[in-house]
């Protein structure tokens, strides 16, 4: 699943994963968990994340290698937030074959509006939005009842850096994958398109391409 920060990768990937009964691998979630638990790895990477920069390729590749090992032999998986550089894509080629790229196109004003009101559950990582995807009770996760917080890297100055990094390092991957996988392009031009509508469009495209029944 490709797209700039705030495109909705995590939300759509988790909905698709449960609909298709496949695993979701979110490098961002794994990285945030390491930082939260203050592990050796977490300490090494926290500064990159808080500044909106990418964590070094060798570290992220190793995370993905371990995660794909854990689920090998199952139905498959959806990657959310990986690869983000050509090096990471090349490493992935040696791990698994990718069937489809789902590319989310989102205008910058939608990204800014989304990220400034995004909130995350401090326990399970579920994603909410205080304007467009509200929890049932303000400030509290529907799934596990814990508090919601705003990500350090959702502050406007860090968002600007993340957008720059996306343009410079991640967008070039689209041409890298042109001949290697099926392409599904989803335009999300407005903040208030319900996630269900986007999921229906993605599932329809996957069916058209004979990737699912
Ligand atoms: P995300 O939740 O996908 O927006 O990721 C949050 C942050 O984690 C990013 O801004 C990066 O600092 C780091 N990160 C997540 N995935 C990767 C990746 N594939 N390569 C490098 N850094 C990553």
């Amino acid at each position: 699943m490709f797209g700039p920060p705030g495109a909705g990768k995590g939300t759509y990937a988790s909905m698709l994963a449960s609909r298709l009964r496949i695993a979701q691998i979110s490098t961002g979630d794994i990285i945030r968990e390491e930082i939260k638990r203050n592990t050796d790895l977490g300490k090494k990477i926290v500064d990159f994340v808080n500044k909106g920069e990418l964590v070094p390729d060798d570290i992220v590749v190793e995370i993905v290698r371990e995660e794909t090992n854990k689920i090998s032999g199952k139905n498959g998986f959806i990657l959310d937030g990986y690869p983000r550089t050509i090096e990471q894509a090349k490493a992935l080629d040696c791990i698994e074959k990718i069937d489809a790229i789902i590319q989310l196109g989102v205008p910058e004003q939608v990204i800014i509006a989304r990220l400034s009101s995004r909130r995350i559950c401090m326990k399970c990582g579920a994603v909410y939005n205080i304007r467009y995807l509200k929890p049932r009770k303000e400030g509290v996760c529907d799934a596990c009842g814990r508090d919601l917080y705003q990500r350090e890297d959702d502050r406007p100055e860090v968002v600007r850096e993340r957008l720059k990094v996306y343009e410079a390092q991640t967008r070039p991957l689209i041409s890298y994958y042109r001949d290697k996988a099926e392409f599904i392009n989803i335009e999300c031009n407005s903040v208030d398109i319900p996630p269900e509508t986007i999921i229906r469009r993605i599932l329809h495209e996957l069916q058209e391409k004979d990737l699912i029944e």
Side-chain angles (χ1 to χ4, degrees), residues 163-176:
L163 285 169
K164 264 197 248 162
V165 167
Y166 178 79
E167 288 303 323
Q169 304 199 56
T170 307
R171 196 186 282 285
L173 281 175
I174 292 168
S175 37
Y176 178 86

Side-chain angles (χ1 to χ4, degrees), residues 5-6 9 26-29 31-32 45 48-50 52-57 60 64 80-85 88 118 151 153 162:
K9 297 187 290 291
S26 162
T27 45
D29 283 352
I31 284 169
R32 272 185 293 283
I45 59 184
F48 295 108
V49 178
N50 285 351
E53 293 170 7
L54 294 183
V55 169
D57 287 335
V60 191
V64 168
D80 129 39
Y82 182 99
R84 268 171 147 106
T85 65
Q88 291 179 19
R118 176 158 79 172
R151 275 169 48 171
D153 59 346
R162 288 165 65 204

Side-chain angles (χ1 to χ4, degrees), residues 10-104:
T11 304
Y12 305 141
S14 93
M15 291 171 78
L16 275 178
S18 65
R19 196 71 61 87
L20 300 173
R21 296 175 200 281
I22 59 176
Q24 174 190 6
I25 302 177
S26 162
T27 45
D29 283 352
I30 296 168
I31 284 169
R32 272 185 293 283
E33 187 61 25
E34 293 288 335
I35 294 173
K36 191 173 86 184
R37 287 173 32 226
N38 204 22
T39 60
D40 289 344
L41 179 59
K43 286 178 202 154
K44 211 150 101 184
I45 59 184
V46 63
D47 285 346
F48 295 108
V49 178
N50 285 351
K51 282 192 270 182
E53 293 170 7
L54 294 183
V55 169
D57 287 335
D58 55 337
I59 296 178
V60 191
V61 168
E62 206 36 53
I63 290 175
V64 168
R65 202 188 304 280
E66 274 176 28
E67 289 301 306
T68 50
N69 271 342
K70 280 188 211 159
I71 56 172
S72 78
K74 301 238 174 83
N75 268 343
F77 55 81
I78 179 159
L79 280 163
D80 129 39
Y82 182 99
R84 268 171 147 106
T85 65
I86 300 279
E87 279 313 306
Q88 291 179 19
K90 287 184 179 160
L92 181 61
D93 287 343
C94 304
I95 300 175
E96 283 289 348
K97 180 184 172 298
I98 296 302
D99 296 315
I101 303 291
I102 302 166
Q103 191 198 339
L104 304 169

Side-chain angles (χ1 to χ4, degrees), residues 4-12 104-120 127-133 150 154 159 187-195 198:
K9 297 187 290 291
T11 304
Y12 305 141
L104 304 169
V106 187
E108 199 165 311
Q109 71 272 20
V110 172
I111 293 172
I112 308 276
R114 270 220 186 117
L115 293 188
S116 59
S117 47
R118 176 158 79 172
R119 298 292 182 272
I120 315 286
V127 180
Y128 298 89
N129 190 296
I130 53 173
R131 287 156 75 186
Y132 317 107
L133 193 65
Q150 180 167 37
D154 279 349
V159 169
E187 291 300 324
C188 323
N189 295 325
S190 135
V191 260
D192 43 22
I193 304 178
I198 303 283

